[in-house]
Amino acid sequence: MMYQRMKDIFEKVYGESEGVRVFFAPGRVNLIGEHTDYNGGHVFPCALTLGTYAAVRERDDGLIRMYSENVTGGLVVERESGDYKIYNRKLWSNYPYGVIWALDEQGKKLNCGYDIAYYGNIPGGAGLSSSASIEVLTAYMFNELCGFGLSLTDMALLCQYSENNYNRMNCGIMDQFASAMGRENMAIFLDTATLEYEYAPIELTDKVILIINSNVKHSLGSSKYNERRMESEAAFNSLKEELDIRTLGDLDEAEFDKYQHLIKDPVERKRAKHAVYENRRTINAYNALKRGDIEEFGRLMLESHMSLRDDYQVSCKEIDRIVELGMNCDGVYGIRITGGGFGGCCVSIVDEDKKDDIISYIGSEYRKSVGYDADFYTVLAGGGPAEVKG
Ligand code: ADP
Ligand code: MG
């Protein structure tokens, strides 16, 4: 189905579609472990069955043409292969083009030119990592087409490198790692300090993962995100003067409580508290899921939200309203903001048979509070990047 759909889009844009190949890479939702991935802590995301697709075909010359069905009035962006100048910071194609740039930096040159058509079925800018999805897709696709021999971990690191250095978005490794390493019905418990990871089955049986999009775009996101990174780093540096630690993730709650006075700035102290406690919550949540204890998992999700709201201060009133409404509902085990913050989505675990009531209650109350709708998606943990066959 998606193969045909992508072939049709390709044909619409480039005239005909003989011999195209279609590739996919997923978006992700982070169940718990937020703003820990650049603080040396753990994260616990899963890849989604939603993500980004590309139809691609070689050209005889060195031209790289890109089109996205998601960009309104979408024109074809055209570049000579090897031209890595950034013409416009805001252009969406900087994401996939940055990956080509990063490949080139590693001496991995494309074989020829390409025509590419992208389409994503993941809401953009909502904290479900459409950016990592289009990056990992691009890396995977060229790895297949040009035989670069990169591992999935290599691809995740390459995509993070390109987002950091080409797009100048100082993201951690979680998004790209989750997209590249996705596995059906599994969440990924990742230690971001070492990149050691384990899969944990999400056996929710009569429960589902429900994502609620506040439809508040995280436009403040990138500047505030960088500010949080600097505050955390400053707090870490204050602790490091006395303690032998590599990252905030090295501390447990008791150690943090004992030494927190070393951080003089009260704001920086709160940021560090979140990073330390959130890391420990994530480890506990992983263990709870392994035991099948969804009640405990949900409780930790809620604690995570409170900490992101009060200590890390990356929530917003619309998201807090959704969490508050969710907490009023029978059948909601846990609910929290997910993604970078300042808008975007909440993730929750809910009873499947109460899902419709929950959606209708939160939906109508949210509309009353803010004057516009939230969107709801029930999602499944999906696999990593792959070629899609016809
Ligand atoms: P998130 O990763 O949470 O969805 P970001 O702001 O990090 O939000 O990334 C969103 C950006 O990624 C979009 O503004 C766009 O530039 C790019 N992008 C992602 N998917 C697509 C797509 N299918 N087509 C075009 N651009 C895309
Ligand atoms: Mg992103």
Side-chain angles (χ1 to χ4, degrees):
M1 192 182 87
M2 279 317 287
Y3 178 83
Q4 192 53 48
R5 172 126 191 232
M6 292 311 296
K7 201 167 181 294
D8 291 346
I9 294 173
F10 189 95
E11 201 165 301
K12 176 184 80 180
V13 180
Y14 298 112
E16 50 91 26
S17 62
E18 191 58 33
V20 293
R21 288 172 72 180
V22 175
F23 294 88
F24 167 80
R28 65 98 188 92
V29 65
N30 190 23
L31 299 173
I32 192 163
E34 211 69 75
H35 289 278
T36 48
D37 71 335
Y38 52 85
N39 281 313
H42 291 76
V43 293
F44 202 19
C46 60
L48 300 174
T49 52
L50 300 171
T52 313
Y53 293 82
V56 60
R57 193 172 59 187
E58 297 186 352
R59 296 174 55 89
D60 295 334
D61 55 14
L63 208 58
I64 296 173
R65 299 199 290 177
M66 291 179 182
Y67 165 86
S68 171
E69 184 78 352
N70 298 96
V71 177
T72 33
L75 296 171
V76 176
V77 181
E78 208 173 285
R79 284 282 191 104
E80 272 309 318
S81 171
D83 173 9
Y84 301 116
K85 193 166 161 280
I86 295 171
Y87 292 96
N88 174 353
R89 276 253 153 241
K90 294 204 176 107
L91 217 54
W92 67 272
S93 52
N94 293 337
Y95 286 92
Y97 210 71
V99 173
I100 299 175
W101 166 83
L103 283 166
D104 186 88
E105 281 227 317
Q106 294 193 356
K108 298 185 165 51
K109 312 261 179 219
L110 303 192
N111 289 342
C112 53
Y114 292 90
D115 286 337
I116 311 167
Y118 288 101
Y119 165 69
N121 58 9
I122 182 167
L128 302 181
S129 218
S130 66
S131 62
S133 152
I134 197 168
E135 289 156 8
V136 170
L137 164 64
T138 303
Y140 184 85
M141 174 169 84
F142 285 121
N143 192 55
E144 292 292 301
L145 292 169
C146 304
F148 292 143
L150 293 171
S151 70
L152 291 167
T153 312
D154 293 340
M155 289 181 221
L157 288 164
L158 179 110
C159 292
Q160 184 202 12
Y161 177 82
S162 101
E163 188 158 338
N164 289 169
N165 295 288
Y166 198 82
N167 303 98
R168 299 216 195 125
M169 180 62 207
N170 211 2
C171 57
I173 187 60
M174 169 170 64
D175 298 355
Q176 290 82 5
F177 197 92
S179 175
M181 304 302 285
R183 203 178 267 188
E184 232 172 274
N185 298 319
M186 297 281 181
I188 308 165
F189 178 64
L190 170 69
D191 180 342
T192 62
T194 61
L195 294 192
E196 280 170 28
Y197 63 95
E198 275 172 61
Y199 289 103
I202 312 190
E203 281 160 1
L204 296 173
T205 47
D206 52 353
K207 300 168 195 70
V208 290
I209 301 173
L210 177 68
I211 292 176
I212 305 156
N213 189 347
S214 67
N215 286 319
V216 178
K217 291 267 183 270
H218 52 195
S219 58
L220 264 178
S222 58
S223 60
K224 290 282 177 194
Y225 184 94
N226 289 333
E227 188 181 293
R228 292 297 176 277
R229 282 195 73 136
M230 288 189 301
E231 290 160 346
S232 304
E233 201 179 311
F236 167 71
N237 286 331
S238 303
L239 291 169
K240 204 176 60 166
E241 279 177 24
E242 303 253 338
L243 302 176
D244 181 23
I245 51 172
R246 293 162 308 159
T247 66
L248 289 173
D250 283 344
L251 294 171
D252 65 23
E253 299 94 327
E255 287 161 338
F256 177 79
D257 290 350
K258 187 165 164 205
Y259 292 109
Q260 56 167 311
H261 64 273
L262 296 171
I263 310 166
K264 299 289 177 246
D265 182 296
V267 172
E268 289 170 9
R269 201 180 308 132
K270 285 206 290 191
R271 307 302 189 237
K273 181 179 181 198
H274 169 78
V276 171
Y277 276 67
E278 180 75 355
N279 179 42
R280 305 300 296 176
R281 268 192 290 277
T282 306
I283 297 167
N284 293 338
Y286 166 68
N287 289 320
L289 193 68
K290 278 204 300 195
R291 294 195 304 272
D293 188 348
I294 300 293
E295 304 263 348
E296 173 68 0
F297 194 90
R299 203 186 56 72
L300 292 163
M301 285 172 84
L302 208 53
E303 255 184 48
S304 164
H305 182 77
M306 304 310 170
S307 175
L308 288 158
R309 184 190 66 190
D310 302 334
D311 287 335
Y312 219 65
Q313 294 181 297
V314 290
S315 189
C316 60
K317 63 179 193 313
E318 295 86 351
I319 291 277
D320 290 340
R321 181 70 182 138
I322 291 173
V323 170
E324 186 187 32
L325 291 167
M327 284 166 65
N328 289 342
C329 291
D330 190 26
V332 173
Y333 290 82
I335 180 165
R336 57 179 285 274
I337 186 172
T338 187
F342 307 101
C345 290
C346 291
V347 57
S348 62
I349 296 181
V350 308
D351 277 329
E352 188 158 29
D353 62 354
K354 302 201 179 81
K355 188 188 76 180
D356 293 342
D357 290 342
I358 292 166
I359 291 176
S360 103
Y361 172 74
I362 297 181
S364 66
E365 291 299 315
Y366 185 69
R367 170 164 260 292
K368 271 189 230 161
S369 301
V370 303
Y372 51 84
D373 286 326
D375 288 320
F376 298 84
Y377 328 91
T378 315
V379 296
L380 296 171
E387 181 163 5
V388 180
K389 298 288 190 179

